[in-house]
């Protein structure tokens, strides 16, 4: 039970990667705070009786973020792990990208990561002298967008790629800032994974070393490595979990 009685906040916990992370953490003893805009009932049904807190709202809203962390502290007394997972992905190209779409991706993927990191570190993780922050970025934040086909437009759009690149840069900045408090900050960069974001998108995985789409549990396993206490010497890292897509 690597996470016995540890408290973990997971954004985007209603489905996909966030759901898988929450279920795996709970299965290893963690108390999970499920954050999403949508009901987390399907996740809750798979927690097998583990203690949880559901917080529904807009993670781009600073007041909601602060209220979520305050509710976490009120119920559990502390917070050990933060997984910034929730995200949106527009697939418009540069010519067609609207300001509303740009702001949606940037605010959901990057601004919310900043808001939750700030609210968890100060004062809670700092005062405790311990914390694990894991940010979900993307291969698109490294290579400028994964090419795809299917019923949706080509590759992930410029706002998504820019926001995920920003998550990587923020991860490294925060890691340098919070290490002195016993806090690590790392990122997992998935490739093509079977989630709601990739529904209707076709990826050619034949050139990958592992010829298949990723599954949420593939990413959750990487998250749990960075989230556990024994990973205290790993920080500022970006772990690609992409089936070997980025090798060649």
């Amino acid at each position: 039970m690597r996470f016995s009685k540890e408290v973990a906040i997971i954004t985007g916990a209603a489905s996909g990667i966030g759901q898988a992370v929450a279920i795996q953490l709970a299965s290893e003893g963690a108390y999970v705070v499920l954050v999403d805009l949508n009901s987390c009932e399907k996740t809750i049904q798979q927690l097998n009786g583990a203690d949880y807190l559901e917080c529904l709202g807009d993670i781009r809203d600073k007041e909601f973020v602060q209220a979520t962390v305050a509710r976490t502290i009120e119920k559990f007394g502390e917070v050990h792990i933060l997984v910034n997972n929730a995200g949106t992905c527009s697939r418009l190209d540069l010519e067609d990208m609207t300001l509303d779409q740009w702001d949606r991706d940037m605010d959901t993927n990057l601004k919310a990561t900043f808001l939750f990191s700030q609210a968890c570190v100060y004062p809670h993780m700092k005062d405790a002298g311990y914390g694990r922050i894991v940010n979900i970025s993307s291969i698109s934040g490294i290579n400028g967008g994964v090419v795809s086909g299917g019923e949706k437009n080509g590759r992930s759009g410029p706002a998504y790629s820019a926001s995920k690149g920003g998550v990587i840069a923020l991860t490294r900045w925060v890691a340098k800032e919070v290490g002195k408090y016993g806090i690590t900050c790392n990122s997992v960069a998935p490739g093509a994974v079977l989630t709601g974001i990739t529904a209707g998108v076709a990826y050619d995985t034949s050139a990958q070393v592992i010829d298949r789409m990723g599954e949420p549990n593939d990413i959750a396993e990487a998250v749990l490595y960075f989230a556990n206490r024994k990973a205290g010497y790993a920080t500022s890292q970006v772990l690609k979990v992409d089936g070997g897509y980025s090798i060649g």
Side-chain angles (χ1 to χ4, degrees), residues 67-200:
T68 295
V69 176
R71 288 182 63 192
T72 300
I73 299 302
E74 181 181 7
K75 180 175 176 64
F76 297 115
E78 51 195 339
V79 57
H80 305 95
I81 300 162
L82 168 65
V83 181
N84 286 303
N85 161 76
T88 57
C89 177
S90 58
R91 296 183 182 274
L92 299 173
D93 58 24
L94 183 62
E95 180 178 10
D96 298 323
M97 174 62 61
T98 66
L99 186 57
D100 284 346
Q101 289 286 336
W102 176 272
D103 288 345
R104 185 194 71 157
D105 285 359
M106 294 297 289
D107 288 352
T108 306
N109 302 340
L110 183 54
K111 176 183 174 182
T113 297
F114 153 69
L115 289 174
F116 266 102
S117 298
Q118 184 184 58
C120 286
V121 171
Y122 304 104
H124 309 294
M125 289 181 174
K126 178 184 176 183
D127 286 354
Y130 177 81
R132 297 283 185 265
I133 301 172
V134 187
N135 299 323
I136 304 301
S137 56
S138 171
I139 293 300
S140 291
I142 297 171
N143 73 356
V146 177
V147 176
S148 61
E151 54 191 68
K152 294 184 179 178
N153 285 343
R155 58 185 172 141
S156 48
Y160 181 78
S161 294
S163 65
K164 292 300 188 177
V167 168
I168 291 171
L170 180 62
T171 297
R172 290 171 170 156
W173 194 99
V174 170
K176 292 179 179 180
E177 180 74 8
V178 302
K180 58 182 174 285
Y181 305 133
I183 304 166
T184 64
C185 184
N186 293 286
S187 179
V188 175
V193 178
L194 292 165
T195 66
I197 282 180
T198 60

